[in-house]
Amino acid sequence: MTSGPCGPRLPTPCWAPVARGSRGACGPWRGRGRGARAAAPWPWRARLVRPARGTGRPPRGRPRTGAAQPVGRGGGGLGAPPSAPYLRLMRLDKPIGTWLLYLPCTWSIGLAAEPGSFPDWYMLSLFGTGAVLMRGAGCTINDMWDRDYDKKVARTANRPIAAGDISTFQSFIFLGGQLTLALGVLLCLNYYSIALGAASLLLVITYPLMKRITYWPQLALGFTFNWGALLGWSAVKGSCDPFVCLPLYFSGIMWTLIYDTIYAHQDKRDDALIGVKSTALRFRENTKQWLSGFSVAMLGALSLVGMNTGQTAPYYTALAAVAAHLTHQIYTLDIHRPEDCWDKFASNRTIGLIVFLGIVLGNLWKEKKTDETKKNIDSRTEN
């Protein structure tokens, strides 16, 4: 249930291509996709906007079709409630990032449930609240760091801090409130889980730097985003079982490499121009082969988790559905079409939900199997 703040955007002159933002706490929820293009559009492909000759300023005239135009001060619209800029600052209108942060927590909590029982709804609610707060805090930190650069980019110029809807001081106070509430959520857990949650701060701090020094920032994101796979189990059981938690954590990392590599292909041209690294630039035309390998590793690790927790038929049926989904996702992926990359990226929420449903049903199936076994034993005893 942790998310890391994104590093500051590299400064770019007015004629440079529109650069994408960081991933991490606010990466996959940057507002990509069909619905988001109307709310916070931006150029989908690298586009050079050179100054008009002799003026030193970009050419005047109508902006590119779909470019965001602030309404009032920051695009919030006239008559918007005072809380609207803060909700946009948290990216509550773009929930995909929160889902991808939250779902590994649900897997772990579901696996930790007693045979024949539903997952602990209190823990699910607690971790859901924590995911929203930590994702929001990460986005707030990102926008505070990038406020001067966001003003120069069409797709980010109407963000609350860059547009002046929220001052730096107000955003700092708001960040403090989010982190305080997140700490309150963490303190509701046992001491082991509190220490485990605090240990993730190292990942939170180092992840934003990875995209500048390695072509594997998606791997660092995987370590950070799937910490809930460890934390959820410890919150229920009081400690981590390495035979369950480690393969579950590994499967989540492989999953992150799949969806965030697809996500990175949307901005690979901009990344190459500004010097930001990603697995999309590392794999290039071999992306599908790499994604296939990650998928096999993910499914293998989830199968091992099922064996170590005594899972039943519904769980393995869910894994078969996940395998079919990943196969279709990778086979039909067009890495040269940003719109298709977004659709495939966003569809990973379905994968996470299928795994969770399989865990829940598989656990409930254990009760049925146990009851039938008891009846057989009783009937044999009577005979």
Side-chain angles (χ1 to χ4, degrees):
M1 53 187 294
T2 61
S3 62
C6 304
R9 182 182 287 105
L10 300 176
T12 56
C14 62
W15 49 265
V18 175
R20 72 181 174 95
S22 308
R23 296 185 185 85
C26 21
W29 42 87
R30 275 277 187 186
R32 305 298 179 104
R34 296 171 180 167
R37 294 167 88 178
W42 67 85
W44 284 75
R45 298 183 182 275
R47 177 173 64 95
L48 297 180
V49 183
R50 299 187 179 277
R53 183 177 299 177
T55 65
R57 299 190 303 272
R60 303 181 67 179
R62 290 181 60 84
R64 182 179 180 181
T65 301
Q69 295 300 307
V71 179
R73 293 182 63 193
L78 298 177
S83 61
Y86 294 96
L87 299 180
R88 289 192 291 120
L89 185 61
M90 293 181 68
R91 311 288 200 275
L92 288 184
D93 56 327
K94 300 162 186 142
I96 180 61
T98 302
W99 276 108
L100 296 176
L101 181 64
Y102 176 56
L103 283 167
C105 305
T106 68
W107 300 352
S108 189
I109 294 171
L111 288 168
E114 293 296 323
S117 302
F118 283 100
D120 189 325
W121 298 110
Y122 172 73
M123 285 296 176
L124 289 174
S125 301
L126 203 63
F127 275 72
T129 302
V132 172
L133 290 170
M134 288 305 298
R135 183 266 180 109
C139 292
T140 302
I141 293 172
N142 180 79
D143 286 7
M144 289 173 65
W145 285 354
D146 290 352
R147 61 187 182 276
D148 293 331
Y149 305 130
D150 285 344
K151 298 174 184 178
K152 304 174 184 178
V153 181
R155 69 178 177 86
T156 58
N158 64 345
R159 285 183 175 167
I161 299 177
D165 292 335
I166 302 176
S167 68
T168 303
F169 178 74
Q170 289 173 321
S171 61
F172 184 78
I173 297 299
F174 184 57
L175 173 63
Q178 293 176 90
L179 293 177
T180 300
L181 292 174
L183 177 61
V185 171
L186 185 62
L187 293 177
C188 292
L189 307 180
N190 55 60
Y191 290 119
Y192 184 97
S193 299
I194 293 173
L196 187 63
S200 67
L201 290 177
L202 180 61
L203 295 172
V204 173
I205 294 171
T206 57
Y207 164 71
L209 304 175
M210 294 297 104
K211 60 186 173 296
R212 290 171 171 81
I213 62 177
T214 177
Y215 281 98
W216 292 85
Q218 281 70 30
L219 181 60
L221 179 66
F223 283 115
T224 306
F225 247 49
N226 294 282
W227 200 256
L230 307 176
L231 198 57
W233 180 279
S234 71
V236 176
K237 296 290 190 179
S239 63
C240 284
D241 182 349
F243 295 101
V244 177
C245 295
L246 291 183
L248 185 65
Y249 186 45
F250 177 78
S251 68
I253 293 171
M254 294 298 103
W255 184 41
T256 302
L257 282 169
I258 295 168
Y259 67 66
D260 208 49
T261 296
I262 294 173
Y263 177 87
H265 269 286
Q266 297 176 104
D267 305 299
K268 56 191 173 186
R269 292 184 178 87
D270 292 336
D271 286 351
L273 288 170
I274 66 177
V276 173
K277 299 177 176 65
S278 71
T279 49
L281 293 175
R282 172 66 176 82
F283 302 154
R284 298 183 182 274
E285 297 301 323
N286 295 322
T287 292
K288 290 190 176 184
Q289 291 90 319
W290 282 92
L291 296 183
S292 299
F294 295 147
S295 299
V296 171
M298 175 188 176
L299 292 168
L302 287 174
S303 298
L304 181 60
V305 169
M307 293 173 58
N308 291 341
T309 55
Q311 280 296 335
T312 53
Y315 177 81
Y316 295 104
T317 301
L319 292 191
V322 169
H325 191 294
L326 287 171
T327 300
H328 177 268
Q329 177 175 293
I330 295 170
Y331 181 77
T332 61
L333 173 66
D334 186 347
I335 60 174
H336 302 298
R337 289 183 58 237
E339 297 89 346
D340 187 61
C341 290
W342 168 262
D343 290 339
K344 298 300 192 299
F345 160 74
S347 72
N348 279 272
R349 178 176 62 178
T350 302
I351 290 179
L353 291 173
I354 291 174
V355 174
F356 177 63
L357 181 62
I359 291 172
V360 173
L361 294 179
N363 209 44
L364 294 176
W365 186 275
K366 292 178 184 178
E367 182 181 30
K368 179 180 179 181
K369 185 176 181 180
T370 302
D371 290 342
E372 290 178 353
T373 302
K374 288 181 179 180
K375 289 179 180 179
N376 292 331
I377 294 175
D378 292 340
S379 60
R380 290 176 184 176
T381 302
E382 293 175 357
N383 294 331

